[in-house]
Amino acid sequence: MGHKWWHPSTPLACFCFTLFSLSLCVWCSLCSSIPSFVALPGCDPRSGLYGTRIRPVSPVGSLSSNPPVDPALIHRALPDELLYEVFAHMAPYTLGRAACVCRKWQYGTRSPALWRNACMKTWQTSGAEENERIVWSCYGGSWRRMWRDRPRLRFDGLYVSRNTYIRAGISEWKVTNPVHLVCYYRYTRFYPSGRFLYKVSSSKLKEVAPSLHGRVSKPDAVYNGCYIVSHDQVKAAILYPGLRPTVLRIQFRIRGTVPGANNRLDMVSLVTSGLNEAEVNCHAEELLRTVEDWEENETHNPDVPAVSHRRGLSSLVFVPFEEVETSELNLPVERMDFFVPG
């Protein structure tokens, strides 16, 4: 008689059976809202959900079939039109970071208009018609793919190369033969208009960056020149003024450590040549077109022979302006005697 509580006619048994039935119904409704997938042998079953949009499920116990409201306050307070205006004022690399925030921002940053503006600013010297032709002929009409895959120069920082060589010192009493490890840098900053700044100095990156970032009214020993880009090749020319004017001809090759990075410039050649009086007085853009097709040993001033430099041709590494203070290129020679750009 002490075990009659579980009998189906008792109130406690009816309550337990009703609670079990409700729990089973809720579980079935949750399972029916998740799409089915087939897991491959040896793979994580959750990998089948990647790329599948799962419809939001209403809270347990809710009688409403409407999906829940987006809990993010910024999505409820900021309309899609204003969110697009925020994206339109972002730099391309900032757009890439914003795409990692959430799925809604990822879809918003894929707008073709955003990447079209980025491409037009990056290759403004090519012209709108040429850029339109290239995007349809080479990249299937995708401006985002063109900005990622087409070789280009970056304008949000500096390209820096660290060069070292050993110089023999002055020996005293012929007992020891000291040597010195000399370190110097090449700094280059490019602009979308086809101009660039160039400086060779023994000062570290954080000391030179302000003069190339427009924070110094009269930068010291900073030369400006012009450049042109053809696929992944960059040809640049700089005029060194003086009693015997000299033109510095540089040829770079653009590459990246990852797709779309464009964070390396390999120096293909570095040649100095002489100029005649007519070439010295011409505009910088005309000077570049004049020396573009010169031979390696060509010079137009017999007092200034053409010299092809073989020292100091280390690859240039791109450093964004926000990483200037923390870059490893600021380390002294005692802590980093040789730098491998990779």
Side-chain angles (χ1 to χ4, degrees):
M1 295 180 62
H3 300 280
K4 292 183 179 180
W5 62 271
W6 53 266
H7 195 273
S9 60
T10 59
L12 181 59
C14 293
F15 175 76
C16 292
F17 179 76
T18 303
L19 182 61
F20 174 76
S21 301
L22 290 176
S23 301
L24 184 61
C25 292
V26 172
W27 173 254
C28 292
S29 62
L30 290 175
C31 292
S32 62
S33 62
I34 301 178
S36 60
F37 61 93
V38 179
L40 297 177
C43 298
D44 189 354
R46 292 171 294 180
S47 62
L49 291 175
Y50 291 165
T52 304
R53 185 174 183 180
I54 302 177
R55 184 179 179 182
V57 181
S58 301
V60 179
S62 175
L63 301 178
S64 175
S65 60
N66 297 327
V69 181
D70 194 336
L73 178 60
I74 187 173
H75 293 164
R76 288 183 289 163
L78 191 63
D80 294 343
E81 294 79 6
L82 293 182
L83 186 61
Y84 173 81
E85 291 296 328
V86 174
F87 291 155
H89 288 79
M90 288 184 179
Y93 283 92
T94 309
L95 280 176
R97 299 187 187 101
C100 301
V101 173
C102 63
R103 181 176 297 177
K104 183 175 182 179
W105 284 28
Q106 182 183 12
Y107 292 154
T109 54
R110 288 180 178 267
S111 174
L114 297 176
W115 297 103
R116 183 183 185 277
N117 294 336
C119 291
M120 289 298 182
K121 292 179 181 178
T122 302
W123 293 285
Q124 60 181 253
T125 55
S126 301
E129 295 183 359
E130 180 66 13
N131 288 328
E132 292 281 355
R133 185 192 64 80
I134 293 176
V135 72
W136 287 104
S137 61
C138 302
Y139 303 100
S142 174
W143 292 99
R144 182 174 177 271
R145 181 185 168 194
M146 173 179 171
W147 193 87
R148 182 193 62 191
D149 297 341
R150 183 181 177 185
R152 54 183 165 76
L153 293 171
R154 297 184 58 173
F155 312 122
D156 56 333
L158 304 175
Y159 285 95
V160 187
S161 70
R162 187 177 186 270
N163 304 274
T164 56
Y165 66 93
I166 296 177
R167 180 176 60 85
I170 301 177
S171 60
E172 298 180 358
W173 306 103
K174 304 296 181 179
V175 176
T176 59
N177 295 321
V179 294
H180 302 281
L181 185 62
V182 182
C183 177
Y184 67 97
Y185 304 84
R186 296 187 191 273
Y187 299 97
T188 308
R189 184 191 178 183
F190 295 92
Y191 293 90
S193 60
R195 306 298 296 268
F196 77 102
L197 300 178
Y198 178 80
K199 181 181 178 66
V200 178
S201 174
S202 59
S203 302
K204 296 182 177 58
L205 173 61
K206 59 183 179 182
E207 301 172 357
V208 177
S211 62
L212 298 177
H213 197 20
R215 298 179 181 176
V216 179
S217 57
K218 293 182 179 181
D220 184 25
V222 176
Y223 300 94
N224 62 80
C226 293
Y227 72 91
I228 56 174
V229 181
S230 177
H231 190 53
D232 62 341
Q233 301 293 321
V234 181
K235 293 183 178 181
I238 306 171
L239 175 63
Y240 281 158
L243 297 178
R244 296 188 298 178
T246 306
V247 59
L248 178 63
R249 295 179 287 155
I250 313 175
Q251 185 174 355
F252 302 103
R253 183 176 65 89
I254 307 173
R255 64 180 177 92
T257 54
V258 295
N262 298 287
N263 53 357
R264 296 291 187 272
L265 280 181
D266 296 330
M267 295 195 69
V268 180
S269 64
L270 180 65
V271 182
T272 54
S273 303
L275 300 173
N276 55 36
E277 295 182 0
E279 294 168 342
V280 171
N281 297 325
C282 68
H283 194 265
E285 297 179 356
E286 298 178 358
L287 176 63
L288 177 60
R289 288 193 294 265
T290 302
V291 303
E292 180 182 357
D293 299 327
W294 281 16
E295 299 293 335
E296 184 176 352
N297 57 351
E298 184 174 354
T299 181
H300 290 187
N301 188 345
D303 296 333
V304 183
V307 179
S308 180
H309 300 271
R310 302 302 179 188
R311 177 184 291 180
L313 300 183
S314 300
S315 298
L316 284 80
V317 179
F318 181 79
V319 181
F321 286 121
E322 59 268 18
E323 299 179 8
V324 165
E325 296 291 335
T326 59
S327 175
E328 62 272 10
L329 290 172
N330 293 311
L331 294 177
V333 180
E334 294 79 11
R335 297 184 58 186
M336 185 173 62
D337 56 351
F338 190 76
F339 177 72
V340 180

